[in-house]
Structures are given as structure tokens and as C-alpha cells.
């Protein structure tokens, strides 16, 4: 196994599946099965999921809502998605622990780094909810921060595109996919991988990123085993 400890970042929108809003149970179960396969293979897995299928702080701001208020609502949305993933994994017999950056004792543990690491060592999937607990940060930044804190070997960013392209493949037929790319090149070419805060945090802490298509079954297992899937961003 190439990566012993990973942080898997999932987008909230991906959970919608074909629905326009909320959580698609079929998609949720698919993701849970994918995660189960690598846990059973001995990989230590932490998960961060966005909340865009339920609420987006930035869009709410356009509608006149205070940005900070909207961001907190977005953080709560990530906790809902985290609970959904937690439940789907537990149905499959996978042990999980949910830790939130905002305290909600009745629902989950507070984020405690040392405890998170112990859970991982015991083979439990640790899900980090509520982002960083601060407004003005994205879930990509939360995922990066947690990945560094738990000393994950890599951050796996599951998207609906199968990697990083020279231009937007949904708009440009001639777009080419990179197998690997350097952090510096991403800056120079102005490619979008994560927001700059998250991306720079990865670069400065030497944390590789792999962008891959999470909706293609089996990809996660291949990645963990070191097969070339998606695009690897490295120093
Ligand atoms: P170890 O015993 O250290 O292996 O870990 P553990 O998570 O099993 O121990 P702990 O006794 O801390 O937790 C038992 C259960 O309570 C787990 O399902 C935890 O997720 C849950 N739990 C622990 N702390 C909290 C909390 O603050 N709030 C909530 N809601 N659940 C908690």
C-alpha cells in the first residue's frame, strides 16, 4: 500500500447525485462502499466533506446575508453531511468517529488532534465536521489543515472531473489532463485545484494532493495502492 494514512476530501455537491439538492442515498452508499474497501485493506482514513448541497455561505452573501453568518450555516451543513457519511459507513460495519470544529456534545466529539490520531490507529474512520470552525475558510482549507495535523501522507480530492486539465474540460475539447504537476506550475498557469489558502498550505507543508474522479468505482483503492489515477500535485 502506497499511502497508509489519507485524508479524503469530498464535495458536498457530489452527495446530491442526480438530485438538485440534499443527499442522494444511492451516492452516499456508493461512497461508503468505496471507503470501506480501503479501510479493510488497512488504510487509515480521515474524511472531510463540504456542505454545498445544503448551504453555501458565499451565495447567501450575494442575497444580502452577513458573510460570517452564512459561513457558520455552511459549517453546520458540513456536519449534516458528515453525519450522513458516518451513518452510511456504520451500516457497512465500519467503525467511525465524528469530530466537530464547533462543539456540539450531543452529536459528536469535539476536534482533538491526539484523539483523532488514536482513532485512526485503531482503524476507525475519522470524519472532521464544521470546517475549521472559522468563517472565511473553505472546506478545502479545513481538509488541508486536518491532513497536516494528523500527518496524512496525501490529500485525495474527490471531484467529478478525473484530474487537473490545461483548461476546463467541460468547456474546452482540447484540454489535456496532467498526470503529475508541480505546485509552482499550478501557480504559474493559474490552474484551479483548490482555493489559494488551501493550496499554499499544502505546498508549504509538503503535502501532495491527488485530484481524482470519486464517482468512478474502484478509483480510491487504486490510488491508495499507488496506481496512477487522476492528477498528482507535488513539490
Ligand atoms: P477509545 O476508548 O480511546 O479507544 O476511544 P472511544 O472513542 O471509543 O472512547 P470514548 O469513551 O471517548 O467514546 C465512546 C463513544 O462516545 C464514541 O462513540 C465517541 O464518538 C463518543 N463520544 C466521545 N466523546 C463525545 C462527545 O463529546 N460527544 C458525543 N456526542 N459523543 C462522544
Amino acid at each position: 500500500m502506497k499511502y497508509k494514512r489519507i485524508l479524503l476530501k469530498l464535495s458536498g455537491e457530489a452527495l446530491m447525485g442526480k438530485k438538485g439538492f440534499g443527499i442522494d442515498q444511492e451516492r452516499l452508499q456508493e461512497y461508503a462502499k468505496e471507503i470501506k474497501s480501503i479501510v479493510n485493506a488497512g488504510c487509515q482514513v480521515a474524511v472531510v466533506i463540504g456542505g454545498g448541497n445544503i448551504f453555501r455561505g458565499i451565495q447567501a452573501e450575494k442575497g444580502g446575508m452577513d458573510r460570517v453568518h452564512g459561513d457558520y450555516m455552511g459549517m453546520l451543513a458540513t456536519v449534516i453531511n458528515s453525519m450522513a457519511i458516518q451513518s452510511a459507513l456504520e451500516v457497512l460495519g465500519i467503525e467511525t468517529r465524528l469530530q466537530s470544529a464547533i462543539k456540539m456534545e450531543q452529536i459528536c466529539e469535539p476536534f482533538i488532534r491526539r484523539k483523532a490520531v488514536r482513532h485512526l490507529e485503531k482503524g476507525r474512520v475519522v470524519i472532521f465536521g464544521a470546517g475549521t470552525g472559522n468563517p472565511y475558510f473553505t472546506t478545502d482549507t479545513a481538509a488541508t489543515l486536518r491532513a497536516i495535523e494528523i500527518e496524512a501522507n496525501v490529500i485525495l480530492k474527490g471531484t467529478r472531473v478525473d484530474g487537473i486539465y490545461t483548461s476546463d474540460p467541460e468547456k474546452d475539447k482540447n484540454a489535456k489532463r496532467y498526470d503529475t504537476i508541480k505546485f509552482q506550475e499550478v501557480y504559474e498557469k493559474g490552474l484551479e485545484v483548490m482555493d489559494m489558502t488551501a493550496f499554499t498550505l499544502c505546498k508549504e507543508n509538503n503535502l501532495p494532493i491527488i485530484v481524482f474522479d470519486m464517482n468512478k468505482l474502484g478509483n480510491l483503492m487504486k490510488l491508495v495502492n499507488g496506481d496512477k489515477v487522476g492528477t498528482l500535485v507535488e513539490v
Side-chain angles (χ1 to χ4, degrees), residues 86 90 95-99 104-110 112 115 118-119 122 124:
Q86 178 175 40
E90 290 190 338
E95 268 204 72
T96 67
R97 293 290 185 269
L98 170 57
Q99 294 197 341
M104 27 189 116
E105 290 94 337
Q106 286 82 354
I107 293 172
C108 53
E109 301 179 15
I112 299 170
K115 224 170 150 45
R118 284 294 290 140
H119 290 322
K122 288 180 178 170
R124 298 165 181 155

Side-chain angles (χ1 to χ4, degrees), residues 14-27:
L15 269 198
M16 291 190 295
K18 289 185 203 80
K19 297 168 58 177
F21 176 83
I23 298 170
D24 175 32
Q25 288 297 328
E26 224 172 282
R27 176 60 59 78

Side-chain angles (χ1 to χ4, degrees), residues 177-227:
R177 187 171 60 80
Y178 293 96
D179 279 340
T180 62
I181 187 167
K182 304 269 181 225
F183 279 96
Q184 195 54 36
E185 218 180 328
V186 172
Y187 286 121
E188 282 162 10
K189 300 208 158 106
L191 301 171
E192 274 180 41
V193 178
M194 289 177 169
D195 64 275
M196 275 303 146
T197 312
F199 190 74
T200 303
L201 203 54
C202 286
K203 177 175 185 281
E204 287 180 347
N205 291 281
N206 205 356
L207 175 70
I209 308 165
I210 299 177
V211 179
F212 74 106
D213 182 357
M214 180 68 193
N215 295 333
K216 191 155 175 226
L217 302 185
N219 264 355
L220 198 54
M221 189 68 174
K222 282 189 193 154
L223 272 176
V224 166
N225 282 328
D227 292 356

Side-chain angles (χ1 to χ4, degrees), residues 162-173:
D162 64 346
I164 301 167
Y165 282 76
T166 47
S167 56
D168 187 345
E170 287 175 354
K171 290 180 193 141
D172 179 1
K173 280 200 307 279

